[in-house]
Amino acid sequence: MPARPVSACARFALLAAWLALLAGLLAYVLGALKVSTDLRSFMPPPRTPEQRLLLDEIGEGPGSRLLLLALTGDEPDTLAEISKSLLPRIRADRRFVRALNGEEEIGALAADLLPYRYLLSPTLDSAQFDARTLHSELQQRVEDLGSPAAAWLKPLLAADPTLETLKLAEAWAPPGEPERYADVWFTRDGKQALLLAETVAGGFDPAAQRAAQDALAGYFREAAGDSKAQLVLSGPGVFTVRINETTSDEANFIGMFDTLGFVTLLLLAYRRLTTVFAGALPLLTGGLAGMAALALFFGGAHGITLAFGFTLIGVAQDYPIHLFSHLRREQSPAEVAHHLWPTLVTGVASTCIAYLAFFASGVDGLEQLAVFTIVGLATAALTTRFGLVHLLGREPYDAAQSNWLAALWRRLAALPRPRWLAPLLALGSVVAMLLSPGAFWENNLAALTPAPPDLIAQDARLRQELGAPDVRHLLVIEGSDADAVLAASEKLEPRLAQLQRDGAIAGYELPSRYLPSVATQRARQARLPEPAALHVALQRAQQDLPFKPDSFDPFLRDITAARSLPPLTADRFFASPLGLRLKAQLQPREGHWIGLVSLVGVADTSALIALAAQPDAPARLLDLKHASESLVAAYRTRVLYSLAVAAVLLVVVVGIALRRRSRVLRVLLPMAVTTLLILAALRLGGVSLSLFHLIALVLAAGLGLDYALFFEHVEDNELDQRRTLHAILVCSASTFLVFLLLALSSLPVLRAIGTTVTLGVIFNFVLALLLTRPRQEIADAG
């Protein structure tokens, strides 16, 4: 029986309820969904200590939190004054762990760690506070008081005549310092003043990095005043902000352009504005339902998940398009949808199964993508089938009556369909892939979200000038507790010092340089003289020197107090204002602790390998590049296994739906050949395949399956064939538009997805047309 027409009042009530549902979903998503940009969400769970360290270093390591500052555009003296004025402003900001420009951090050291200076400083390892040593030190202080340094030295002198605070500040300075001018760092050509700032936030936190960089810009404007000076920033945090802003800008542009293109396409295809509005409802519902599912199950989502997920949800626009193109006056929309539903649900189920395989990958980003995709596509399909059909009127536009479509259908029906086409294309694709130059797989982790070339060149130049740590190599120390790591760090120091003397490295930074082991602190404590002996030694040292007898009473009190201090532990050091420095190098792990040794100017990697290979070596060498490549390879293996399982399930679903082996083969063959053609085209273009190419291949395969299913399912009636052709033309055109814009993106992730799917749309449409229905079935139809 024909379905009873839906009244205008009922349609209005349904529309109002639908819009209210969308408003509720939107409110929930805005309040509950948090967006992340940490690339580690798209990395598999680490399986080795090296991979675990790699992920930690990428997101939270000291290297990821360094910002490199250069002041340029004015006279060196002016730049030096700006640098000196800028430094205290940065140090007072809690968004920064430290800021350095070559001036010593005497105030911070004296205020917080002064009581422990004799336990932390290495002075007592080779000397003692007897009369001769103290006399030599006091003589030097007399000379210092006549120098320009007297202003900052005088407040320290009474309590610290041996300047242990200064010695600590020098020991804790970066291991490879740049040139100096006017007591601050400068480039070798003397044209730029240099500073180094370390943020509290990790390098992959774009919001916090943006706030920190905006603060630096504000402080610079205050310090520079009317100067012509300019501020140049670099570092991982700058890359993160730039990439995040570029992604947002491109996503907004693509979204706006795609919306306009989609509306224009639907208007041209269906001639009615109400059709455009109605077609957007399932798409919006699917997208919001997918985001609501992410908020419910994960609490948030990665930006890449949303960016790619929305392009995938965009495929859901095919569902109302199929409905619109198959509408006819002699049937109600509900009856048309009922007829299309078996084919449509087979395509939806196949795509969902493919992405369900990603849910089993164990990778947060892919699990999020699977949930977003499955919920979004299923929601869009169900709302098209059971909601949209009741909003449409009884007099639709019938695409089958179009003269241009009739002419196009006859031309396409007459195309030759040789049996050898599929095997020839498959064989040619395999040969092309085998002969293509370059690496087949992209193993470079940085290639997933690279910074622009100008930023990379600028960063390399500033790192070289500042002597920033090597970003590839680390030495890793392991111990049962923090003190065991510190003791091993002390044993490692003379070996690294020898490598530095040999020129294998330019510098290094050990955790024990900040905090000695308990045994070392106790040994130094034991060498502190008793109060009476120190008093006598100090009186003798002051003879013939212009100091009052009681000038160094604070020094006597501090030595007495230091003799009874408990050793400084890692926990107490962490609680100090300088604690974050040590936390970057001394970290707890599950059941043990690790120490990270930063290296500067690595010139001979083989010497580091030889050091780590020694039987009694207290550290092992971590090559972050090698660790990242092994992580990417492990990730790809898991994804490939997931895709293999998805392919098997997809064949099963199509087999159950079509039942006949010949029909199953005709539907799956275009998709399989298209996959080979895409891979061949990418490889011939010199593209090494990344994870995102693989994910996009799944989407391209799903599109091909949809096209082939509808071409296979079409009736022999010519009018029905025209409607199917119209639907697939509109679907492929809208999908082509979306992914062509992505293919033109400057971001490699979006470009990889866009290029892959754009090729897939072209190849799938042509091959589905030529391979799905034999020529005589089309030519003889009607």
Side-chain angles (χ1 to χ4, degrees), residues 511-529:
S512 57
R513 183 170 289 181
Y514 289 97
L515 178 64
S517 66
V518 169
T520 297
Q521 292 183 59
R522 290 195 184 280
R524 292 170 181 171
Q525 194 175 42
R527 294 176 67 87
L528 291 171

Side-chain angles (χ1 to χ4, degrees), residues 215-571:
L216 289 177
Y219 298 147
F220 170 74
R221 287 191 295 270
E222 294 173 4
D226 297 331
S227 166
K228 298 180 294 182
Q230 297 176 344
L231 173 66
V232 177
L233 282 175
S234 189
V238 177
F239 300 162
T240 295
V241 171
R242 173 75 73 87
I243 292 170
N244 188 64
E245 291 176 348
T246 302
T247 302
S248 177
D249 291 343
E250 291 196 4
N252 290 335
F253 170 77
I254 291 171
M256 179 185 66
F257 202 91
D258 178 47
T259 301
L260 293 175
F262 181 60
V263 169
T264 302
L265 180 65
L266 291 191
L267 284 175
L268 291 174
Y270 303 111
R271 317 287 175 86
R272 296 183 181 181
L273 190 60
T274 53
T275 301
V276 176
F277 175 75
L281 289 175
L283 180 60
L284 290 174
T285 309
L288 287 174
M291 287 194 290
L294 291 178
L296 181 63
F297 293 110
F298 298 97
H302 195 282
I304 293 176
T305 299
L306 295 178
F308 184 65
F310 268 114
T311 61
L312 184 56
I313 291 297
V315 177
Q317 66 197 15
D318 291 1
Y319 307 152
I321 286 174
H322 280 295
L323 175 63
F324 296 153
S325 292
H326 285 87
L327 291 176
R328 63 201 71 185
R329 292 181 174 84
E330 62 270 19
Q331 284 185 311
S332 70
E335 291 171 329
V336 173
H338 177 76
H339 180 71
L340 292 175
W341 184 244
T343 305
L344 190 64
V345 79
T346 301
V348 174
S350 300
T351 304
C352 290
I353 284 174
Y355 281 91
L356 186 62
F358 284 140
F359 191 79
S361 66
V363 180
D364 286 345
L366 290 186
E367 289 177 351
Q368 293 172 9
L369 182 60
V371 170
F372 188 31
T373 302
I374 292 170
V375 172
L377 291 182
T379 301
L382 290 171
T383 51
T384 299
R385 171 66 180 89
F386 299 104
L388 183 62
V389 294
H390 300 300
L391 290 179
L392 302 178
R394 290 289 297 177
E395 296 183 1
Y397 169 76
D398 189 347
Q401 305 302 321
S402 169
N403 292 329
W404 71 266
L405 186 66
L408 177 63
W409 176 84
R410 292 189 179 93
R411 288 173 180 262
L412 294 178
L415 289 174
R417 290 167 173 78
R419 294 180 179 273
W420 46 262
L421 179 62
L424 179 64
L425 291 175
L427 179 62
S429 299
V430 172
V431 171
M433 284 187 279
L434 293 175
L435 298 180
S436 297
F440 191 88
W441 298 112
E442 176 58 78
N443 290 327
N444 184 7
L445 189 61
L448 297 180
T449 55
D454 60 324
L455 284 187
I456 294 176
Q458 177 178 280
D459 185 75
R461 180 180 61 80
L462 290 180
R463 282 184 178 277
Q464 185 177 15
E465 293 281 2
L466 279 162
D470 185 83
V471 295
R472 175 171 177 176
H473 297 98
L474 281 174
L475 285 169
V476 183
I477 306 169
E478 295 189 78
S480 57
D481 54 31
D483 195 61
V485 172
L486 294 171
S489 174
E490 292 170 345
K491 293 178 182 178
L492 181 63
E493 181 153 19
R495 305 188 191 193
L496 291 176
Q498 183 61 49
L499 288 183
Q500 186 175 7
R501 288 191 293 270
D502 294 342
I505 57 176
Y508 56 90
E509 192 168 17
L510 292 153
S512 57
R513 183 170 289 181
Y514 289 97
L515 178 64
S517 66
V518 169
T520 297
Q521 292 183 59
R522 290 195 184 280
R524 292 170 181 171
Q525 194 175 42
R527 294 176 67 87
L528 291 171
E530 295 182 358
L534 180 61
H535 181 72
V536 172
L538 194 57
Q539 285 183 325
R540 292 176 180 174
Q542 288 181 256
Q543 292 179 2
D544 302 326
L545 295 177
F547 294 110
K548 295 180 180 179
D550 60 349
S551 295
F552 302 104
D553 285 351
F555 172 61
L556 290 169
R557 289 194 297 270
D558 284 358
I559 291 288
T560 301
R563 285 172 52 82
S564 59
L565 283 174
L568 187 62
T569 64
D571 287 340

Side-chain angles (χ1 to χ4, degrees), residues 69-215:
L69 291 75
L71 310 180
T72 186
D74 212 325
E75 296 299 322
D77 289 326
T78 302
L79 297 178
E81 290 303 315
I82 294 173
S83 175
K84 293 176 181 179
S85 177
L86 184 59
L87 194 67
R89 290 178 166 89
I90 302 174
R91 287 178 175 172
D93 192 324
R94 293 185 178 181
R95 286 170 286 205
F96 298 93
V97 176
R98 60 172 169 169
L100 303 170
N101 71 343
E103 293 184 323
E104 307 297 349
E105 294 180 275
I106 299 298
L109 294 172
D112 194 69
L113 298 175
L114 187 63
Y116 280 94
R117 61 190 180 277
Y118 301 107
L119 278 64
L120 300 178
S121 170
T123 296
L124 292 173
D125 293 344
S126 56
Q128 54 186 344
F129 290 151
D130 55 19
R132 185 176 62 178
T133 300
L134 291 174
H135 181 73
S136 176
E137 290 285 345
L138 292 178
Q139 275 189 318
Q140 184 62 49
R141 298 297 84 78
V142 172
E143 297 178 12
D144 292 338
L145 288 173
S147 71
W152 60 261
L153 176 63
K154 206 167 185 179
L156 297 176
L157 192 58
D160 193 11
T162 62
L163 297 186
E164 301 307 315
T165 303
L166 177 60
K167 294 173 185 176
L168 285 175
E170 292 174 343
W172 293 349
E177 285 197 307
E179 302 290 333
R180 288 175 183 264
Y181 176 82
D183 296 326
V184 298
W185 291 334
F186 263 78
T187 54
R188 286 187 291 271
D189 60 12
K191 295 181 178 180
Q192 294 183 318
L194 302 174
L195 299 93
L196 191 68
E198 184 176 344
T199 60
V200 172
F204 273 98
D205 186 341
Q209 286 292 332
R210 175 78 274 175
Q213 292 165 39
D214 286 345

Side-chain angles (χ1 to χ4, degrees), residues 526-772:
R527 294 176 67 87
L528 291 171
E530 295 182 358
L534 180 61
H535 181 72
V536 172
L538 194 57
Q539 285 183 325
R540 292 176 180 174
Q542 288 181 256
Q543 292 179 2
D544 302 326
L545 295 177
F547 294 110
K548 295 180 180 179
D550 60 349
S551 295
F552 302 104
D553 285 351
F555 172 61
L556 290 169
R557 289 194 297 270
D558 284 358
I559 291 288
T560 301
R563 285 172 52 82
S564 59
L565 283 174
L568 187 62
T569 64
D571 287 340
R572 292 193 62 186
F573 198 105
F574 288 160
S576 74
L578 300 172
L580 285 175
R581 295 198 202 176
L582 183 62
K583 282 183 177 180
Q585 294 186 298
L586 184 65
Q587 303 168 4
R589 287 292 185 270
E590 297 177 0
H592 69 292
W593 284 68
I594 64 165
L596 302 178
V597 182
S598 301
L599 303 169
V600 176
V602 176
D604 186 357
T605 306
S606 61
L608 292 172
I609 295 174
L611 182 152
Q614 294 173 3
D616 61 341
R620 55 188 172 85
L621 181 65
L622 173 61
D623 185 335
L624 292 177
K625 182 175 185 294
H626 179 268
S628 70
E629 290 176 351
S630 69
L631 188 65
V632 171
Y635 190 5
R636 183 174 58 246
T637 300
R638 297 188 68 166
V639 171
L640 288 173
Y641 277 130
S642 298
L643 293 181
V645 173
V648 172
L649 293 175
L650 187 147
V651 172
V652 171
V653 169
V654 175
I656 294 174
L658 301 182
R659 300 181 182 179
R660 285 170 47 192
R661 185 171 60 181
S662 60
R663 298 186 69 196
V664 172
L665 181 62
R666 288 202 299 267
V667 167
L668 294 179
L669 189 59
M671 179 184 67
V673 176
T674 289
T675 301
L676 293 176
L677 286 172
I678 294 172
L679 293 174
L682 292 172
R683 294 296 299 122
L684 288 173
V687 176
S688 297
L689 304 182
S690 70
L691 159 75
F692 297 100
H693 289 104
L694 294 180
I695 298 176
L697 280 174
V698 177
L699 175 54
L703 292 172
L705 185 67
D706 285 342
Y707 300 165
L709 279 169
F710 275 95
F711 275 133
E712 171 65 26
H713 182 74
V714 68
E715 302 290 344
D716 288 335
N717 179 276
E718 180 181 335
L719 294 179
D720 285 331
Q721 292 180 13
R722 291 185 196 175
R723 295 184 182 105
T724 297
L725 177 61
H726 185 271
I728 296 177
L729 282 171
V730 178
C731 288
S732 57
S734 62
T735 306
F736 180 83
L737 173 65
V738 172
F739 289 96
L740 178 62
L741 292 173
L742 290 180
L744 299 176
S745 170
S746 64
L747 296 173
V749 170
L750 298 182
R751 190 164 61 244
I753 295 169
T755 303
T756 303
V757 180
T758 300
L759 291 172
V761 170
I762 298 171
F763 294 147
N764 274 315
F765 178 83
V766 174
L767 291 179
L769 182 67
L770 295 180
L771 301 180
T772 303

